[in-house]
PDB file of all heavy atoms in Angstrom:
ATOM      1  N   ALA W  96       4.761  80.350  29.701  1.00  0.00           N
ATOM      2  CA  ALA W  96       4.149  79.031  29.920  1.00  0.00           C
ATOM      3  C   ALA W  96       3.186  78.683  28.786  1.00  0.00           C
ATOM      4  O   ALA W  96       3.143  77.537  28.323  1.00  0.00           O
ATOM      5  CB  ALA W  96       3.421  79.011  31.260  1.00  0.00           C
ATOM      6  N   GLU W  97       2.435  79.669  28.318  1.00  0.00           N
ATOM      7  CA  GLU W  97       1.489  79.431  27.221  1.00  0.00           C
ATOM      8  C   GLU W  97       2.237  79.076  25.938  1.00  0.00           C
ATOM      9  O   GLU W  97       1.836  78.162  25.199  1.00  0.00           O
ATOM     10  CB  GLU W  97       0.628  80.678  27.007  1.00  0.00           C
ATOM     11  CG  GLU W  97      -0.337  80.584  25.833  1.00  0.00           C
ATOM     12  CD  GLU W  97      -1.016  81.916  25.545  1.00  0.00           C
ATOM     13  OE1 GLU W  97      -1.401  82.597  26.508  1.00  0.00           O
ATOM     14  OE2 GLU W  97      -1.146  82.262  24.348  1.00  0.00           O
ATOM     15  N   MET W  98       3.331  79.786  25.672  1.00  0.00           N
ATOM     16  CA  MET W  98       4.112  79.520  24.461  1.00  0.00           C
ATOM     17  C   MET W  98       4.741  78.129  24.509  1.00  0.00           C
ATOM     18  O   MET W  98       4.754  77.405  23.512  1.00  0.00           O
ATOM     19  CB  MET W  98       5.197  80.589  24.297  1.00  0.00           C
ATOM     20  CG  MET W  98       4.658  81.983  24.082  1.00  0.00           C
ATOM     21  SD  MET W  98       5.967  83.188  23.849  1.00  0.00           S
ATOM     22  CE  MET W  98       6.651  82.631  22.285  1.00  0.00           C
ATOM     23  N   LEU W  99       5.258  77.755  25.678  1.00  0.00           N
ATOM     24  CA  LEU W  99       5.851  76.426  25.821  1.00  0.00           C
ATOM     25  C   LEU W  99       4.805  75.337  25.619  1.00  0.00           C
ATOM     26  O   LEU W  99       5.071  74.319  24.966  1.00  0.00           O
ATOM     27  CB  LEU W  99       6.502  76.280  27.199  1.00  0.00           C
ATOM     28  CG  LEU W  99       7.886  76.899  27.378  1.00  0.00           C
ATOM     29  CD1 LEU W  99       8.334  76.795  28.825  1.00  0.00           C
ATOM     30  CD2 LEU W  99       8.895  76.228  26.463  1.00  0.00           C
ATOM     31  N   THR W 100       3.620  75.542  26.176  1.00  0.00           N
ATOM     32  CA  THR W 100       2.549  74.556  26.034  1.00  0.00           C
ATOM     33  C   THR W 100       2.199  74.346  24.563  1.00  0.00           C
ATOM     34  O   THR W 100       2.025  73.210  24.106  1.00  0.00           O
ATOM     35  CB  THR W 100       1.300  75.006  26.814  1.00  0.00           C
ATOM     36  OG1 THR W 100       1.636  75.158  28.196  1.00  0.00           O
ATOM     37  CG2 THR W 100       0.186  73.985  26.673  1.00  0.00           C
ATOM     38  N   ASN W 101       2.120  75.434  23.802  1.00  0.00           N
ATOM     39  CA  ASN W 101       1.803  75.321  22.377  1.00  0.00           C
ATOM     40  C   ASN W 101       2.912  74.596  21.611  1.00  0.00           C
ATOM     41  O   ASN W 101       2.642  73.763  20.742  1.00  0.00           O
ATOM     42  CB  ASN W 101       1.581  76.712  21.781  1.00  0.00           C
ATOM     43  CG  ASN W 101       0.318  77.370  22.312  1.00  0.00           C
ATOM     44  OD1 ASN W 101      -0.611  76.689  22.744  1.00  0.00           O
ATOM     45  ND2 ASN W 101       0.277  78.695  22.306  1.00  0.00           N
ATOM     46  N   ARG W 102       4.173  74.921  21.933  1.00  0.00           N
ATOM     47  CA  ARG W 102       5.290  74.313  21.218  1.00  0.00           C
ATOM     48  C   ARG W 102       5.501  72.853  21.603  1.00  0.00           C
ATOM     49  O   ARG W 102       6.052  72.076  20.820  1.00  0.00           O
ATOM     50  CB  ARG W 102       6.573  75.113  21.472  1.00  0.00           C
ATOM     51  CG  ARG W 102       6.541  76.541  20.939  1.00  0.00           C
ATOM     52  CD  ARG W 102       6.250  76.582  19.446  1.00  0.00           C
ATOM     53  NE  ARG W 102       6.272  77.921  18.914  1.00  0.00           N
ATOM     54  CZ  ARG W 102       7.288  78.435  18.194  1.00  0.00           C
ATOM     55  NH1 ARG W 102       8.353  77.697  17.963  1.00  0.00           N
ATOM     56  NH2 ARG W 102       7.229  79.665  17.728  1.00  0.00           N
ATOM     57  N   LEU W 103       5.101  72.481  22.815  1.00  0.00           N
ATOM     58  CA  LEU W 103       5.255  71.091  23.250  1.00  0.00           C
ATOM     59  C   LEU W 103       4.367  70.141  22.457  1.00  0.00           C
ATOM     60  O   LEU W 103       4.600  68.928  22.453  1.00  0.00           O
ATOM     61  CB  LEU W 103       4.934  70.964  24.740  1.00  0.00           C
ATOM     62  CG  LEU W 103       6.031  71.426  25.692  1.00  0.00           C
ATOM     63  CD1 LEU W 103       5.543  71.397  27.130  1.00  0.00           C
ATOM     64  CD2 LEU W 103       7.275  70.560  25.555  1.00  0.00           C
ATOM     65  N   ARG W 104       3.377  70.661  21.773  1.00  0.00           N
ATOM     66  CA  ARG W 104       2.534  69.826  20.924  1.00  0.00           C
ATOM     67  C   ARG W 104       3.334  69.229  19.774  1.00  0.00           C
ATOM     68  O   ARG W 104       2.916  68.245  19.164  1.00  0.00           O
ATOM     69  CB  ARG W 104       1.353  70.633  20.385  1.00  0.00           C
ATOM     70  CG  ARG W 104       0.354  71.061  21.455  1.00  0.00           C
ATOM     71  CD  ARG W 104      -0.663  72.041  20.901  1.00  0.00           C
ATOM     72  NE  ARG W 104      -1.437  71.445  19.826  1.00  0.00           N
ATOM     73  CZ  ARG W 104      -2.507  70.701  20.005  1.00  0.00           C
ATOM     74  NH1 ARG W 104      -2.936  70.437  21.233  1.00  0.00           N
ATOM     75  NH2 ARG W 104      -3.164  70.199  18.983  1.00  0.00           N
ATOM     76  N   VAL W 105       4.473  69.826  19.468  1.00  0.00           N
ATOM     77  CA  VAL W 105       5.378  69.288  18.447  1.00  0.00           C
ATOM     78  C   VAL W 105       6.558  68.575  19.102  1.00  0.00           C
ATOM     79  O   VAL W 105       6.895  67.444  18.735  1.00  0.00           O
ATOM     80  CB  VAL W 105       5.897  70.412  17.522  1.00  0.00           C
ATOM     81  CG1 VAL W 105       6.950  69.871  16.550  1.00  0.00           C
ATOM     82  CG2 VAL W 105       4.752  71.047  16.754  1.00  0.00           C
ATOM     83  N   THR W 106       7.192  69.215  20.079  1.00  0.00           N
ATOM     84  CA  THR W 106       8.420  68.678  20.669  1.00  0.00           C
ATOM     85  C   THR W 106       8.183  67.400  21.459  1.00  0.00           C
ATOM     86  O   THR W 106       8.960  66.444  21.359  1.00  0.00           O
ATOM     87  CB  THR W 106       9.070  69.741  21.574  1.00  0.00           C
ATOM     88  OG1 THR W 106       9.393  70.885  20.784  1.00  0.00           O
ATOM     89  CG2 THR W 106      10.342  69.208  22.209  1.00  0.00           C
ATOM     90  N   ALA W 107       7.136  67.356  22.279  1.00  0.00           N
ATOM     91  CA  ALA W 107       6.878  66.172  23.111  1.00  0.00           C
ATOM     92  C   ALA W 107       6.618  64.926  22.258  1.00  0.00           C
ATOM     93  O   ALA W 107       7.236  63.875  22.502  1.00  0.00           O
ATOM     94  CB  ALA W 107       5.716  66.438  24.064  1.00  0.00           C
ATOM     95  N   PRO W 108       5.731  64.980  21.241  1.00  0.00           N
ATOM     96  CA  PRO W 108       5.568  63.795  20.388  1.00  0.00           C
ATOM     97  C   PRO W 108       6.848  63.420  19.637  1.00  0.00           C
ATOM     98  O   PRO W 108       7.125  62.239  19.455  1.00  0.00           O
ATOM     99  CB  PRO W 108       4.464  64.216  19.405  1.00  0.00           C
ATOM    100  CG  PRO W 108       3.724  65.292  20.104  1.00  0.00           C
ATOM    101  CD  PRO W 108       4.747  66.025  20.901  1.00  0.00           C
ATOM    102  N   LEU W 109       7.619  64.429  19.214  1.00  0.00           N
ATOM    103  CA  LEU W 109       8.870  64.142  18.499  1.00  0.00           C
ATOM    104  C   LEU W 109       9.849  63.401  19.399  1.00  0.00           C
ATOM    105  O   LEU W 109      10.461  62.404  18.987  1.00  0.00           O
ATOM    106  CB  LEU W 109       9.486  65.442  17.992  1.00  0.00           C
ATOM    107  CG  LEU W 109      10.866  65.321  17.325  1.00  0.00           C
ATOM    108  CD1 LEU W 109      10.799  64.369  16.130  1.00  0.00           C
ATOM    109  CD2 LEU W 109      11.373  66.693  16.892  1.00  0.00           C
ATOM    110  N   ALA W 110      10.013  63.876  20.640  1.00  0.00           N
ATOM    111  CA  ALA W 110      10.923  63.213  21.579  1.00  0.00           C
ATOM    112  C   ALA W 110      10.430  61.801  21.900  1.00  0.00           C
ATOM    113  O   ALA W 110      11.216  60.846  21.922  1.00  0.00           O
ATOM    114  CB  ALA W 110      11.057  64.044  22.850  1.00  0.00           C
ATOM    115  N   LEU W 111       9.126  61.655  22.143  1.00  0.00           N
ATOM    116  CA  LEU W 111       8.562  60.338  22.462  1.00  0.00           C
ATOM    117  C   LEU W 111       8.686  59.385  21.276  1.00  0.00           C
ATOM    118  O   LEU W 111       9.012  58.193  21.449  1.00  0.00           O
ATOM    119  CB  LEU W 111       7.105  60.496  22.871  1.00  0.00           C
ATOM    120  CG  LEU W 111       6.389  59.229  23.342  1.00  0.00           C
ATOM    121  CD1 LEU W 111       7.078  58.651  24.571  1.00  0.00           C
ATOM    122  CD2 LEU W 111       4.920  59.532  23.638  1.00  0.00           C
ATOM    123  N   TYR W 112       8.450  59.893  20.091  1.00  0.00           N
ATOM    124  CA  TYR W 112       8.583  59.097  18.859  1.00  0.00           C
ATOM    125  C   TYR W 112      10.032  58.625  18.703  1.00  0.00           C
ATOM    126  O   TYR W 112      10.286  57.446  18.402  1.00  0.00           O
ATOM    127  CB  TYR W 112       8.164  59.970  17.676  1.00  0.00           C
ATOM    128  CG  TYR W 112       7.902  59.242  16.377  1.00  0.00           C
ATOM    129  CD1 TYR W 112       8.033  57.863  16.267  1.00  0.00           C
ATOM    130  CD2 TYR W 112       7.508  59.961  15.247  1.00  0.00           C
ATOM    131  CE1 TYR W 112       7.783  57.217  15.059  1.00  0.00           C
ATOM    132  CE2 TYR W 112       7.249  59.316  14.049  1.00  0.00           C
ATOM    133  CZ  TYR W 112       7.396  57.955  13.960  1.00  0.00           C
ATOM    134  OH  TYR W 112       7.150  57.307  12.774  1.00  0.00           O
ATOM    135  N   SER W 113      10.990  59.516  18.945  1.00  0.00           N
ATOM    136  CA  SER W 113      12.412  59.166  18.820  1.00  0.00           C
ATOM    137  C   SER W 113      12.808  58.114  19.843  1.00  0.00           C
ATOM    138  O   SER W 113      13.518  57.147  19.515  1.00  0.00           O
ATOM    139  CB  SER W 113      13.276  60.420  19.005  1.00  0.00           C
ATOM    140  OG  SER W 113      12.925  61.436  18.103  1.00  0.00           O
ATOM    141  N   ILE W 114      12.359  58.295  21.082  1.00  0.00           N
ATOM    142  CA  ILE W 114      12.670  57.322  22.136  1.00  0.00           C
ATOM    143  C   ILE W 114      12.082  55.958  21.798  1.00  0.00           C
ATOM    144  O   ILE W 114      12.742  54.920  21.938  1.00  0.00           O
ATOM    145  CB  ILE W 114      12.122  57.827  23.489  1.00  0.00           C
ATOM    146  CG1 ILE W 114      12.924  59.043  23.969  1.00  0.00           C
ATOM    147  CG2 ILE W 114      12.158  56.721  24.540  1.00  0.00           C
ATOM    148  CD1 ILE W 114      12.319  59.743  25.175  1.00  0.00           C
ATOM    149  N   THR W 115      10.836  55.941  21.326  1.00  0.00           N
ATOM    150  CA  THR W 115      10.179  54.676  20.986  1.00  0.00           C
ATOM    151  C   THR W 115      10.922  53.957  19.867  1.00  0.00           C
ATOM    152  O   THR W 115      11.161  52.740  19.935  1.00  0.00           O
ATOM    153  CB  THR W 115       8.721  54.928  20.574  1.00  0.00           C
ATOM    154  OG1 THR W 115       8.046  55.620  21.625  1.00  0.00           O
ATOM    155  CG2 THR W 115       8.005  53.615  20.285  1.00  0.00           C
ATOM    156  N   LEU W 116      11.292  54.692  18.823  1.00  0.00           N
ATOM    157  CA  LEU W 116      12.050  54.098  17.725  1.00  0.00           C
ATOM    158  C   LEU W 116      13.376  53.531  18.213  1.00  0.00           C
ATOM    159  O   LEU W 116      13.762  52.411  17.845  1.00  0.00           O
ATOM    160  CB  LEU W 116      12.314  55.144  16.637  1.00  0.00           C
ATOM    161  CG  LEU W 116      11.170  55.509  15.693  1.00  0.00           C
ATOM    162  CD1 LEU W 116      11.606  56.609  14.736  1.00  0.00           C
ATOM    163  CD2 LEU W 116      10.723  54.281  14.909  1.00  0.00           C
ATOM    164  N   ALA W 117      14.071  54.303  19.048  1.00  0.00           N
ATOM    165  CA  ALA W 117      15.381  53.868  19.534  1.00  0.00           C
ATOM    166  C   ALA W 117      15.278  52.574  20.326  1.00  0.00           C
ATOM    167  O   ALA W 117      16.080  51.651  20.143  1.00  0.00           O
ATOM    168  CB  ALA W 117      16.013  54.970  20.394  1.00  0.00           C
ATOM    169  N   VAL W 118      14.279  52.473  21.204  1.00  0.00           N
ATOM    170  CA  VAL W 118      14.119  51.275  22.039  1.00  0.00           C
ATOM    171  C   VAL W 118      13.673  50.077  21.199  1.00  0.00           C
ATOM    172  O   VAL W 118      14.229  48.969  21.320  1.00  0.00           O
ATOM    173  CB  VAL W 118      13.115  51.542  23.169  1.00  0.00           C
ATOM    174  CG1 VAL W 118      12.782  50.261  23.917  1.00  0.00           C
ATOM    175  CG2 VAL W 118      13.685  52.569  24.140  1.00  0.00           C
ATOM    176  N   LEU W 119      12.672  50.280  20.331  1.00  0.00           N
ATOM    177  CA  LEU W 119      12.124  49.173  19.555  1.00  0.00           C
ATOM    178  C   LEU W 119      13.123  48.599  18.563  1.00  0.00           C
ATOM    179  O   LEU W 119      13.037  47.411  18.197  1.00  0.00           O
ATOM    180  CB  LEU W 119      10.862  49.627  18.803  1.00  0.00           C
ATOM    181  CG  LEU W 119       9.642  49.951  19.669  1.00  0.00           C
ATOM    182  CD1 LEU W 119       8.470  50.366  18.800  1.00  0.00           C
ATOM    183  CD2 LEU W 119       9.254  48.761  20.538  1.00  0.00           C
ATOM    184  N   VAL W 120      14.060  49.422  18.110  1.00  0.00           N
ATOM    185  CA  VAL W 120      15.053  48.938  17.145  1.00  0.00           C
ATOM    186  C   VAL W 120      16.301  48.410  17.842  1.00  0.00           C
ATOM    187  O   VAL W 120      16.793  47.317  17.534  1.00  0.00           O
ATOM    188  CB  VAL W 120      15.439  50.063  16.157  1.00  0.00           C
ATOM    189  CG1 VAL W 120      16.598  49.614  15.255  1.00  0.00           C
ATOM    190  CG2 VAL W 120      14.246  50.456  15.311  1.00  0.00           C
ATOM    191  N   SER W 121      16.835  49.155  18.807  1.00  0.00           N
ATOM    192  CA  SER W 121      18.148  48.830  19.368  1.00  0.00           C
ATOM    193  C   SER W 121      18.158  47.562  20.218  1.00  0.00           C
ATOM    194  O   SER W 121      19.085  46.753  20.113  1.00  0.00           O
ATOM    195  CB  SER W 121      18.668  50.005  20.195  1.00  0.00           C
ATOM    196  OG  SER W 121      17.802  50.298  21.273  1.00  0.00           O
ATOM    197  N   ILE W 122      17.138  47.359  21.062  1.00  0.00           N
ATOM    198  CA  ILE W 122      17.162  46.190  21.952  1.00  0.00           C
ATOM    199  C   ILE W 122      17.003  44.876  21.169  1.00  0.00           C
ATOM    200  O   ILE W 122      17.830  43.967  21.327  1.00  0.00           O
ATOM    201  CB  ILE W 122      16.097  46.325  23.051  1.00  0.00           C
ATOM    202  CG1 ILE W 122      16.482  47.484  23.993  1.00  0.00           C
ATOM    203  CG2 ILE W 122      15.975  45.023  23.845  1.00  0.00           C
ATOM    204  CD1 ILE W 122      15.503  47.729  25.116  1.00  0.00           C
ATOM    205  N   PRO W 123      15.988  44.733  20.302  1.00  0.00           N
ATOM    206  CA  PRO W 123      15.931  43.483  19.515  1.00  0.00           C
ATOM    207  C   PRO W 123      17.159  43.290  18.627  1.00  0.00           C
ATOM    208  O   PRO W 123      17.649  42.161  18.482  1.00  0.00           O
ATOM    209  CB  PRO W 123      14.663  43.662  18.662  1.00  0.00           C
ATOM    210  CG  PRO W 123      13.835  44.649  19.404  1.00  0.00           C
ATOM    211  CD  PRO W 123      14.810  45.584  20.038  1.00  0.00           C
ATOM    212  N   LEU W 124      17.671  44.375  18.044  1.00  0.00           N
ATOM    213  CA  LEU W 124      18.845  44.253  17.178  1.00  0.00           C
ATOM    214  C   LEU W 124      20.068  43.831  17.978  1.00  0.00           C
ATOM    215  O   LEU W 124      20.865  42.985  17.534  1.00  0.00           O
ATOM    216  CB  LEU W 124      19.101  45.587  16.473  1.00  0.00           C
ATOM    217  CG  LEU W 124      20.260  45.610  15.463  1.00  0.00           C
ATOM    218  CD1 LEU W 124      20.034  44.579  14.367  1.00  0.00           C
ATOM    219  CD2 LEU W 124      20.402  47.004  14.857  1.00  0.00           C
ATOM    220  N   GLY W 125      20.237  44.399  19.165  1.00  0.00           N
ATOM    221  CA  GLY W 125      21.368  44.014  20.008  1.00  0.00           C
ATOM    222  C   GLY W 125      21.287  42.564  20.430  1.00  0.00           C
ATOM    223  O   GLY W 125      22.296  41.849  20.445  1.00  0.00           O
ATOM    224  N   VAL W 126      20.077  42.096  20.769  1.00  0.00           N
ATOM    225  CA  VAL W 126      19.890  40.692  21.148  1.00  0.00           C
ATOM    226  C   VAL W 126      20.203  39.775  19.965  1.00  0.00           C
ATOM    227  O   VAL W 126      20.903  38.754  20.107  1.00  0.00           O
ATOM    228  CB  VAL W 126      18.452  40.457  21.640  1.00  0.00           C
ATOM    229  CG1 VAL W 126      18.189  38.968  21.848  1.00  0.00           C
ATOM    230  CG2 VAL W 126      18.199  41.219  22.933  1.00  0.00           C
ATOM    231  N   ALA W 127      19.698  40.139  18.790  1.00  0.00           N
ATOM    232  CA  ALA W 127      19.942  39.312  17.603  1.00  0.00           C
ATOM    233  C   ALA W 127      21.431  39.225  17.286  1.00  0.00           C
ATOM    234  O   ALA W 127      21.950  38.147  16.972  1.00  0.00           O
ATOM    235  CB  ALA W 127      19.177  39.893  16.409  1.00  0.00           C
ATOM    236  N   LEU W 128      22.134  40.324  17.380  1.00  0.00           N
ATOM    237  CA  LEU W 128      23.569  40.320  17.077  1.00  0.00           C
ATOM    238  C   LEU W 128      24.371  39.532  18.111  1.00  0.00           C
ATOM    239  O   LEU W 128      25.408  38.957  17.797  1.00  0.00           O
ATOM    240  CB  LEU W 128      24.083  41.763  17.004  1.00  0.00           C
ATOM    241  CG  LEU W 128      23.610  42.559  15.785  1.00  0.00           C
ATOM    242  CD1 LEU W 128      23.943  44.032  15.951  1.00  0.00           C
ATOM    243  CD2 LEU W 128      24.255  42.018  14.517  1.00  0.00           C
ATOM    244  N   ALA W 129      23.888  39.503  19.352  1.00  0.00           N
ATOM    245  CA  ALA W 129      24.569  38.710  20.387  1.00  0.00           C
ATOM    246  C   ALA W 129      24.390  37.222  20.148  1.00  0.00           C
ATOM    247  O   ALA W 129      25.283  36.424  20.459  1.00  0.00           O
ATOM    248  CB  ALA W 129      24.044  39.093  21.766  1.00  0.00           C
ATOM    249  N   LEU W 130      23.244  36.840  19.582  1.00  0.00           N
ATOM    250  CA  LEU W 130      22.962  35.429  19.351  1.00  0.00           C
ATOM    251  C   LEU W 130      23.526  34.936  18.022  1.00  0.00           C
ATOM    252  O   LEU W 130      23.733  33.730  17.849  1.00  0.00           O
ATOM    253  CB  LEU W 130      21.450  35.182  19.399  1.00  0.00           C
ATOM    254  CG  LEU W 130      20.770  35.510  20.739  1.00  0.00           C
ATOM    255  CD1 LEU W 130      19.278  35.252  20.659  1.00  0.00           C
ATOM    256  CD2 LEU W 130      21.390  34.706  21.875  1.00  0.00           C
ATOM    257  N   ILE W 131      23.751  35.857  17.083  1.00  0.00           N
ATOM    258  CA  ILE W 131      24.339  35.488  15.799  1.00  0.00           C
ATOM    259  C   ILE W 131      25.858  35.592  15.917  1.00  0.00           C
ATOM    260  O   ILE W 131      26.394  36.683  16.100  1.00  0.00           O
ATOM    261  CB  ILE W 131      23.833  36.402  14.663  1.00  0.00           C
ATOM    262  CG1 ILE W 131      22.326  36.252  14.494  1.00  0.00           C
ATOM    263  CG2 ILE W 131      24.546  36.062  13.353  1.00  0.00           C
ATOM    264  CD1 ILE W 131      21.717  37.223  13.507  1.00  0.00           C
ATOM    265  N   ARG W 132      26.526  34.496  15.807  1.00  0.00           N
ATOM    266  CA  ARG W 132      27.976  34.494  16.026  1.00  0.00           C
ATOM    267  C   ARG W 132      28.775  34.630  14.730  1.00  0.00           C
ATOM    268  O   ARG W 132      29.994  34.497  14.748  1.00  0.00           O
ATOM    269  CB  ARG W 132      28.394  33.194  16.740  1.00  0.00           C
ATOM    270  CG  ARG W 132      27.689  32.990  18.077  1.00  0.00           C
ATOM    271  CD  ARG W 132      27.985  34.134  19.029  1.00  0.00           C
ATOM    272  NE  ARG W 132      27.315  33.963  20.309  1.00  0.00           N
ATOM    273  CZ  ARG W 132      27.846  33.312  21.338  1.00  0.00           C
ATOM    274  NH1 ARG W 132      29.029  32.743  21.230  1.00  0.00           N
ATOM    275  NH2 ARG W 132      27.173  33.216  22.472  1.00  0.00           N
ATOM    276  N   ALA W 133      28.108  34.894  13.600  1.00  0.00           N
ATOM    277  CA  ALA W 133      28.819  35.002  12.321  1.00  0.00           C
ATOM    278  C   ALA W 133      29.773  36.190  12.357  1.00  0.00           C
ATOM    279  O   ALA W 133      29.376  37.314  12.675  1.00  0.00           O
ATOM    280  CB  ALA W 133      27.821  35.156  11.179  1.00  0.00           C
ATOM    281  N   GLN W 134      31.027  35.950  12.039  1.00  0.00           N
ATOM    282  CA  GLN W 134      32.041  36.989  12.119  1.00  0.00           C
ATOM    283  C   GLN W 134      31.772  38.119  11.129  1.00  0.00           C
ATOM    284  O   GLN W 134      31.985  39.288  11.434  1.00  0.00           O
ATOM    285  CB  GLN W 134      33.429  36.395  11.867  1.00  0.00           C
ATOM    286  CG  GLN W 134      34.568  37.377  12.085  1.00  0.00           C
ATOM    287  CD  GLN W 134      35.922  36.722  11.955  1.00  0.00           C
ATOM    288  OE1 GLN W 134      36.027  35.525  11.729  1.00  0.00           O
ATOM    289  NE2 GLN W 134      36.972  37.511  12.089  1.00  0.00           N
TER     290      GLN W 134
END
């Protein structure tokens, strides 16, 4: 448990950072592409 707690100081921010990037980029980009009808 102690080892996991120490390692989570890297893994938890990395996972949260990845999730945040994925959401902030994919949803606005998907909306923009749906509204832009250029072939």
Side-chain angles (χ1 to χ4, degrees):
E97 176 188 319
M98 296 182 66
L99 280 174
T100 301
N101 292 335
R102 296 303 182 103
L103 282 174
R104 293 171 61 84
V105 174
T106 299
L109 175 58
L111 185 61
Y112 195 0
S113 304
I114 290 171
T115 304
L116 283 177
V118 172
L119 292 181
V120 173
S121 61
I122 293 180
L124 183 58
V126 172
L128 289 169
L130 299 179
I131 297 174
R132 302 300 180 89
Q134 187 175 358

